[in-house]
Amino acid sequence: MTNMEKWPEIEKAATEQRRELVLQGGGVDKRISSCGGLPSSLYSLQLLNYLEVSQCPSLTEIHVEIQHLTNLQSLVLCRNKLASVPDVIGILKSLKVLDLSVNNLKCLPQGLTQLKELNTLNVSCNCLEGLPDGLSQCTKLATINVSKNQITTFPPDLFSERLDLLSTLVASDNSIQELSGEICKLSALKVLDVSNNKLSEIPSDLSDCPKLKEINFKGNKLSDKRLEKMVNGCQTKSILEYLRGKGRGRRDEEGGDSDKKKKQQQHKKKKGKVREEQDEVEELNKMVVRVLHVSEAPTALTVKVSAEVKDVRPYLVCCLVRGMSLKPGNALKRFLMAQTKLHDDLCGRRTIATIATHDAQLVKGPLVYDVRPPTRLKVVPLGRREMTAVELIRQLHLEADELRKQKKRQNVTGLHKYLQLLEGKSVYPCLVDADGDVISFPPITNSEKTKIKKTTTELLIEVTSSTSLQTCKDVMDALIIKMAELNKFTAEHQEEAGSDGEEDGARQPAADAETSSQLIVQQVRTVDQDGNLKVVYPSKTDLSQETSNFTVIW
C-alpha cells in the first residue's frame, strides 16, 4: 500500500462522494505494479457500496485497511493474482456479493463466515483445498461457486438447514470424493454441479431435495454403471427418479411398518370426503396458466443468440404471454410496480438479472440477441429520443450528478443505479428485431418502439442475466406467477377501463372474470447461430412452484 501517487479515479470518487468505483485493466495494473499495491486513499472512501478491482495481475494482496469500507455491499476482486485475503473482511457486515474468482488463493479467511448478509460467493478458479467451517452462519447465501479448485471435501455444516436460501451450488472440476446425504437439508437447492470430481457414489437422499431442477455429475467414475450412463445422457428428472427408487428399495430392505401404513390409509379415506368439498372451493380460487407449445404455434417467435454475448451477458430466456388484463383501472400500474419490486428484490437491483417487457404485436421477429460497440448501439429509450448508448450513459451520468446536487443526497435512483454494471465493457448487449432496431438494452432500458400500454393484449417478456440460465428461469417463473395473481385480482375487483386517465373515450367495465383471469404462456425458442436449440421456456421443469392455488396446464 502506498501514498506516493494520486489516482484520479479515487480523487473523483472522493470529491463527488460516489458510491461505486471500478478499477480494472492494463493501465490500473501498471500503477499497482509501480506503487507496490493499491493506494491507501482507496480505503478512505467509506461511502462506497460497490468496489471492483479486476484484471490486475500485479495485485497480490488486499491490505487490512479494507475493514474501513463498512458500507460495501459488493466486493469484486476477480482476475488478479491474490494469494490471500485478510481475516478482517468479516468486519464488512453489509457485504452481499463477494467475487474472488480467478486468483491464486489457497485458503479463505475464517472471517468470511461472519458475513451475515452474504448472498453470493464466487471463489472459482483458485487453488483452494477446502472451505472454512462455519459457512452455515451465512444464512442468506443463495449462490456458491467453488469450481476449478482443489477441494477434496465439503465442510460438514455446509449442508445445514440454516442455509434455507441456498439455491445454486457449483463445485465442478475439483477432487471431491464424497457427497453427503445431508445435502437433502438444503431445501431451496435448485442447481447442483459437481461434474469432473472423484465421486463414486451419489446419495439417494439427493432425490429428497424438493426444488432440485438441474444436476451435473458428468466426469465422475461412479460404481453404479447404470447411473453413470444416466448422468452422461439423461435429464435431471430421470436421474432423481432413479435415485428415489434406490432409496425406496433400501428402506424396504430395512423393513417397513405395515400396520402404520394401514392406519394411514384408513385416515386418508376418512378425510377424503371432507377434502373433496375443500377442493371444490379451492378450484374456484386457483390461478390458471396454460402453456402453448412451440409445435402448436406455426409462426412461433425465435431468438438467435450470437456467440459474442458470452463475455458480456450470456443468459437469456423469453416467452409470450396472452390474457394479461392491463386495461381496467390501475392494472397496468400494478404490473409495472410488481416488475420494479422484482428488480429490486429477486434481481438484486438488476445486478443478478433484468426483466424487459414488450408489446408483442409491435415486435418484428425473428430476434437476435447480440452485442454492439457503445458508439454503434442506437436505441430509443423509454420516454426519450433516439441516441447512442454512449450518449444515453453520458446523459444518465449528468442526471445522476444533478440529482445529487438538487437533493443533497449521495445515492441515486431509477436507471442511474445500474450504470456501474456496464463500466469497463467494450461492447454492450442488445436485443434486435427483424428491422435491425434495438428493442432492448439490458440492464439499462428497453425501447419506446415496443413499450406496453393499456391496450397491449400480448406481451413478449425477456429475462437476461450474467449469473446463470437458471437465474433467468427463476425470475421468469416469479414474474409469471405474479402476473397470474394480478390478473386474478383485476378480474375479481371489476375495475373500470380507463379509470386512471391514460385512455381516451368512454369507460368500459372490465371483462368477465371467468374469461380474463387465465394466462396463456407461449413457449419461445432460443437458438445459437447455427440454429441449434439452447433453451425453450417454459419447459416441463419450469413453473413448478409449490403454490397451492397455482395450476399449470400443459
Side-chain angles (χ1 to χ4, degrees):
M1 190 171 72
T2 179
N3 291 299
M4 296 296 291
E5 184 179 342
K6 292 184 179 180
W7 289 37
E9 303 96 332
I10 295 174
E11 286 191 326
K12 184 176 182 180
T15 302
E16 298 180 0
Q17 297 184 313
R18 293 203 167 191
R19 298 297 182 101
E20 309 90 21
L21 179 62
V22 177
L23 301 169
Q24 64 178 194
V28 174
D29 185 53
K30 286 180 181 178
R31 279 182 277 167
I32 291 175
S33 179
S34 63
C35 297
L38 291 167
S40 58
S41 56
L42 171 65
Y43 303 113
S44 65
L45 300 176
Q46 296 185 19
L47 290 176
L48 287 182
N49 57 37
Y50 181 94
L51 173 62
E52 177 178 343
V53 185
S54 59
Q55 301 177 45
C56 299
S58 299
L59 184 63
T60 58
E61 65 175 1
I62 295 295
H63 200 272
V64 293
E65 293 298 304
I66 196 163
Q67 65 184 299
H68 297 309
L69 303 182
T70 53
N71 286 311
L72 275 184
Q73 294 183 21
S74 297
L75 179 58
V76 180
L77 301 171
C78 62
R79 299 184 182 277
N80 301 302
K81 294 290 183 182
L82 292 176
S84 64
V85 175
D87 198 55
V88 295
I89 197 171
I91 295 175
L92 306 180
K93 301 298 185 183
S94 299
L95 204 61
K96 295 181 179 181
V97 176
L98 179 59
D99 187 347
L100 301 171
S101 60
V102 199
N103 279 288
N104 290 335
L105 298 174
K106 292 185 177 179
C107 63
L108 296 175
Q110 190 63 36
L112 188 149
T113 63
Q114 301 304 309
L115 301 174
K116 309 296 185 185
E117 297 296 316
L118 194 63
N119 171 274
T120 301
L121 174 63
N122 186 352
V123 291
S124 60
C125 302
N126 277 284
C127 308
L128 299 174
E129 296 179 357
L131 297 174
D133 291 326
L135 280 176
S136 62
Q137 297 178 73
C138 305
T139 54
K140 294 188 178 181
L141 268 174
T143 300
I144 298 177
N145 188 342
V146 295
S147 60
K148 296 184 179 179
N149 279 285
Q150 300 166 18
I151 297 172
T152 57
T153 184
F154 290 116
D157 77 322
L158 181 62
F159 302 139
S160 167
E161 293 170 345
R162 296 180 68 186
L163 295 178
D164 57 355
L165 298 177
L166 185 57
S167 61
T168 301
L169 176 57
V170 180
S172 56
D173 299 284
N174 279 282
S175 299
I176 298 167
Q177 298 176 9
E178 183 181 2
L179 186 64
S180 170
E182 296 291 292
I183 194 171
C184 66
K185 292 182 178 180
L186 299 178
S187 57
L189 190 65
K190 294 182 179 180
V191 178
L192 174 65
D193 186 350
V194 283
S195 57
N196 301 318
N197 276 281
K198 296 183 179 180
L199 295 172
S200 59
E201 302 287 342
I202 301 177
S204 58
D205 304 81
L206 184 66
S207 63
D208 293 330
C209 291
K211 295 186 177 180
L212 197 57
K213 293 182 178 180
E214 184 180 331
I215 57 176
N216 189 351
F217 286 94
K218 294 178 181 178
N220 289 284
K221 294 183 179 180
L222 303 178
S223 57
D224 185 333
K225 296 306 175 185
R226 180 182 176 188
L227 183 56
E228 187 174 313
K229 288 183 179 179
M230 291 183 72
V231 301
N232 287 319
C234 293
Q235 294 184 345
T236 295
K237 185 177 180 181
S238 301
I239 297 168
L240 293 179
E241 285 178 353
Y242 179 77
L243 291 172
R244 194 172 291 116
K246 287 183 69 176
R248 214 179 282 126
R250 187 188 71 242
R251 287 190 286 270
D252 289 345
E253 289 174 6
E254 292 171 353
D257 191 340
S258 58
D259 291 336
K260 187 176 180 181
K261 288 181 180 178
K262 287 180 181 178
K263 288 180 181 179
Q264 288 175 341
Q265 289 173 354
Q266 290 172 357
H267 186 60
K268 284 181 181 178
K269 286 181 180 178
K270 288 179 181 179
K271 281 190 170 183
K273 290 184 179 179
V274 177
R275 183 61 191 167
E276 284 178 11
E277 294 175 0
Q278 292 175 341
D279 286 345
E280 289 179 6
V281 176
E282 288 178 4
E283 191 65 32
L284 296 174
N285 293 321
K286 280 191 174 182
M287 300 175 294
V288 180
V289 170
R290 187 164 70 86
V291 177
L292 183 64
H293 294 255
V294 174
S295 58
E296 299 171 22
T299 58
L301 185 69
T302 60
V303 182
K304 183 176 288 188
V305 178
S306 75
E308 287 76 14
V309 300
K310 182 180 179 182
D311 298 321
V312 182
R313 196 175 184 86
Y315 304 107
L316 166 82
V317 296
C318 298
C319 68
L320 293 165
V321 178
R322 294 199 289 274
M324 185 68 189
S325 182
L326 300 175
K327 198 171 186 179
N330 292 316
L332 176 59
K333 188 178 294 183
R334 284 193 295 269
F335 173 60
L336 295 176
M337 289 175 62
Q339 184 178 329
T340 299
K341 191 173 189 311
L342 278 173
H343 268 149
D344 287 344
D345 297 340
L346 188 59
C347 297
R349 299 198 171 197
R350 304 199 191 192
T351 59
I352 298 171
T354 304
I355 304 165
T357 53
H358 309 270
D359 187 326
Q361 293 184 355
L362 302 176
V363 174
K364 295 183 180 180
L367 304 178
V368 178
Y369 183 48
D370 203 356
V371 296
R372 290 183 180 178
T375 54
R376 290 177 50 205
L377 195 163
K378 288 188 176 182
V379 63
V380 183
L382 292 172
R384 300 173 187 261
R385 63 173 178 81
E386 184 182 61
M387 60 183 73
T388 65
V390 170
E391 292 172 323
L392 176 59
I393 298 299
R394 185 186 300 120
Q395 188 168 328
L396 292 174
H397 272 301
L398 291 172
E399 291 173 2
D401 292 340
E402 186 63 28
L403 192 63
R404 287 191 181 100
K405 294 174 184 176
Q406 287 179 2
K407 300 198 173 183
K408 296 181 180 179
R409 55 196 286 187
Q410 309 312 321
N411 59 316
V412 291
T413 58
L415 294 174
H416 308 125
K417 59 192 172 187
Y418 314 125
L419 296 181
Q420 76 268 17
L421 299 177
L422 294 174
E423 289 186 8
K425 305 290 186 186
S426 60
V427 290
Y428 293 163
C430 55
L431 189 63
V432 183
D433 68 9
D435 291 337
D437 294 332
V438 173
I439 63 171
S440 179
F441 171 23
I444 302 299
T445 184
N446 43 310
S447 172
E448 186 75 21
K449 178 179 179 180
T450 57
K451 178 182 176 180
I452 63 171
K453 302 180 180 67
K454 278 181 168 289
T455 52
T456 299
T457 57
E458 182 177 11
L459 293 95
L460 168 66
I461 304 177
E462 60 164 287
V463 178
T464 60
S465 173
S466 57
T467 305
S468 71
L469 184 62
Q470 188 60 47
T471 297
C472 292
K473 290 187 168 195
D474 291 345
V475 171
M476 188 73 88
D477 284 357
L479 178 60
I480 289 175
I481 290 172
K482 189 63 184 177
M483 290 172 71
E485 290 176 2
L486 293 173
N487 226 30
K488 185 172 180 293
F489 177 88
T490 300
E492 288 175 350
H493 286 74
Q494 295 288 293
E495 295 173 289
E496 291 183 333
S499 62
D500 65 354
E502 182 178 317
E503 184 173 312
D504 296 328
R507 296 178 180 179
Q508 299 175 355
D512 183 73
E514 187 176 344
T515 59
S516 63
S517 61
Q518 178 175 298
L519 290 182
I520 297 176
V521 181
Q522 182 176 317
Q523 292 177 324
V524 170
R525 287 176 178 267
T526 302
V527 300
D528 64 19
Q529 289 178 306
D530 298 322
N532 300 312
L533 181 65
K534 289 175 69 69
V535 64
V536 60
Y537 182 92
S539 66
K540 286 284 187 178
T541 58
D542 301 318
L543 294 171
S544 58
Q545 264 43 348
E546 295 178 1
T547 305
S548 59
N549 62 336
F550 181 74
T551 301
V552 180
I553 303 173
W554 291 91

